[in-house]
Each structure stands twice: as C-alpha cells, then as structure tokens.
Amino acid sequence: MNDPIPTITFADGTEVPSLGQGTWGMGEDAGHAKEEIDSLKAGLDLGMAMIDTAEMYGDGGAEEIVGQAIKGRRDETFIVSKVYPWNASRTGTIDACESSLERLGTDRIDLYLLHWRGNYPLTETVEAFETLKAAGKIRAWGVSNFDTDDMEELLSVPGGRNVAANQVLYNLARRGIEYDLLPWCQSRNIPIMAYSPIEQGRILHHPELIRIAKANQATPAQLALAFLLERDGVFVIPKTSTIERARENRDCISLDITDEDWEALDAAFPPPAKKTPLEML
Ligand SMILES: NC(=O)c1ccc[n+]([C@@H]2O[C@H](COP(=O)([O-])OP(=O)(O)OC[C@H]3O[C@@H](n4cnc5c(N)ncnc54)[C@H](OP(=O)(O)O)[C@@H]3O)[C@@H](O)[C@H]2O)c1
C-alpha cells in the first residue's frame, strides 16, 4: 500500500480518512451484489473507511449492500446515510433512520444527512436529528445540497450549529462552490463532502485532464480526485463497483502534482469568477 490517506477531523473530534466510497447505483440488481460488496470490502482494506449511502439508493438496496460489506468490521467503518426530504419530519426522520439501521445491520449511523431541502421546516428535521443523536442511533448529523444561504438559515435554527458536514456536487467541471460555499464552510470547520467527484465518469475524456494525468504517470480519475483532496476540509467519495478501480482511486493519494500542472488544470477547468447557484445531480 502507498501513503496513508490524510484525515479530516470533525468538530466533535472524530477523525476520518478524506477519501471514502460512494454507493449510488448499488443494490439495484441482485446479480451485481457480490462485486459491489467485494469492491466496498476492498476499499475498506485500502483505508477508505467512509462509506456514503442513502435510503434512496436502490430503494434501500444500497444500504443492504453496505450492511453486507461491513459485517464483522463495523468499527473500522464510518457510515454516512441520508433521509429523503419527504421523510424528514419530526417523526418521519426517526422512522426512516430505524429502517436504515435495520438494512445496514448496525445500531448506529456515524453521520446522517438530510438528502436535500424539502417542505419540512429545518427546525423539525434538526429536532429529530438531535433526538436520534441523544438516543445514540446517529453520532452526528449534516445536510446535503445546501447552498450558502441554506447553511446560514440552518445555523439560525435551534441546534442548527451542530451541523457536522454538507455534501454537495463538486468536481473539476463543477467548481462553483469555490466562490463562496467552500470558504464559508472551511472557516466554520464544517467539512464538505464532494459527491460525483469524477462527474460520474464524464470528465475522464477531457483531453487536458488526460494530458496532465499522463505527464504524472496517473490516470484521469486519479488526477480528478487528487485535485479535490488538495482542498482543506473536503471529503471525496468516488463510487466504483470494481476492485481494480477501488485500488486505482486509492492510489491518487500518492500523486505529487507540480504547481505548473495545477495551473494548467485551472486553465482547462477555470475556477468561478462569480456566484453561481449550487448545482445538483
Ligand atoms: N448527496 C447527493 O445528492 C448525491 C448525489 C450524487 C452522488 N452522491 C454520492 O456520491 C457518490 C459518488 O458520486 P457518483 O456515484 O454520482 O459519481 P462518481 O463517483 O463521480 O462516478 C461514478 C462512476 O464512475 C465510474 N468510475 C469510478 N472510478 C473510476 C475510475 N477510476 N475510472 C473510470 N471510471 C470510474 C463508476 O463505474 P464503476 O462502478 O463501473 O467503476 C461509476 O460509473 C455516490 O455514489 C453517492 O454515494 C450523493
């Protein structure tokens, strides 16, 4: 194995490796279950302890896959799951969490997120999150797809300051958050979780990404992940169902990119010059 994965420390002191694993698309087809479980296990072997899932993925099927992958190794795993906005009422959140725990085959979720903003008032969802925390069913809670104004509103509700993370779309082709949301979160010690870090594979054919990756004996996916991991307080959660790609993604940690190459990447994927609304997939 190569260099250890750098860690990020949450406000409550929990330290977690910054490169984790996504699960969107898993648990949809029983015929692929074995490769999905094996790939997540390989990721854990490689130190990618954070596994991101949601009640939405595979209609609960992804949580079941995660449950299989972490059997006997719960303590080396940091599980993130998410509640649908339409379940995020005072009681609905509790019920959704109980169902997720059952599918995951565990007694606690490390970080439980509101998947995106819906119609229930934030006060209600936060109250439910705090109830779950007090009961030991979740260790921490956070949000997903929240722009800066949503975060400001969240911090103004009772208990809102306990938000542990914000999971958003962030990759080379979607750098909008660098203008305001990212610095806003960094200055408050609220980690960002970058989802779709390789734009679901779509950016991997970009000629400049390919050129710079080649010059560094790396693959385009590795360079795209390394770019995100350069930022303070950013978790990166690529999804793969193959052991080979889990290894490939893990190896991005060892890249040592020159300033010149980062500048070339900036020229190919320019940072934002003004505020743009947060994008989501
Ligand atoms: N909060 C939200 O609203 C939200 C939204 C989207 C995603 N997410 C989370 O973020 C995770 C990651 O995002 P994502 O799944 O949308 O996209 P992604 O991680 O950017 O890309 C995943 C796709 O890239 C392929 N891939 C992975 N590693 C590769 C490599 N080294 N070379 C070439 N192809 C590679 C995968 O195929 P194989 O599996 O065949 O390798 C898969 O098709 C999700 O799984 C989910 O947990 C959250």
Side-chain angles (χ1 to χ4, degrees), residues 114-277:
L114 172 60
H115 209 147
W116 63 90
R117 273 196 88 161
N119 294 331
Y120 286 110
L122 292 175
T123 348
E124 238 188 83
T125 310
V126 170
E127 200 183 304
F129 280 155
E130 288 294 332
T131 303
L132 285 168
K133 209 162 86 175
K137 295 188 175 172
I138 64 173
R139 288 265 164 86
W141 62 265
V143 292
S144 177
N145 297 300
F146 270 45
D147 208 341
T148 315
D149 53 347
D150 299 309
M151 291 302 285
E152 269 162 0
E153 191 182 329
L154 176 62
L155 261 52
S156 74
V157 311
R161 288 182 182 274
N162 292 336
V163 60
N166 184 12
Q167 183 177 126
V168 294
L169 175 61
Y170 182 31
N171 63 48
L172 274 169
R174 316 262 197 169
R175 296 182 62 174
I177 69 161
E178 290 176 21
Y179 191 78
D180 59 344
L181 181 62
L182 179 58
W184 189 96
C185 286
Q186 285 169 327
S187 67
R188 288 163 181 80
N189 195 23
I190 302 170
I192 284 281
M193 293 177 66
Y195 76 67
S196 306
I198 57 170
E199 185 67 14
Q200 300 183 328
R202 289 184 292 272
I203 54 170
L204 302 181
H205 307 290
H206 193 288
E208 195 58 357
L209 183 64
I210 294 172
R211 184 191 69 74
I212 302 168
K214 238 183 218 157
N216 285 276
Q217 290 84 49
T219 66
Q222 288 174 329
L223 181 57
L225 298 174
F227 164 83
L228 296 170
L229 289 165
E230 274 286 297
R231 274 94 192 122
D232 286 338
V234 174
F235 287 100
V236 182
I237 48 166
K239 175 262 170 187
T240 181
S241 300
T242 77
I243 294 177
E244 295 70 28
R245 283 180 174 168
R247 287 204 190 101
E248 176 189 331
N249 294 345
R250 166 64 173 85
D251 285 347
C252 77
I253 298 297
S254 303
L255 297 195
D256 189 10
I257 311 292
T258 61
D259 287 349
E260 203 182 350
D261 278 344
W262 286 135
E263 281 162 24
L265 212 54
D266 268 348
F269 299 94
K274 61 178 173 52
K275 168 72 187 165
T276 45

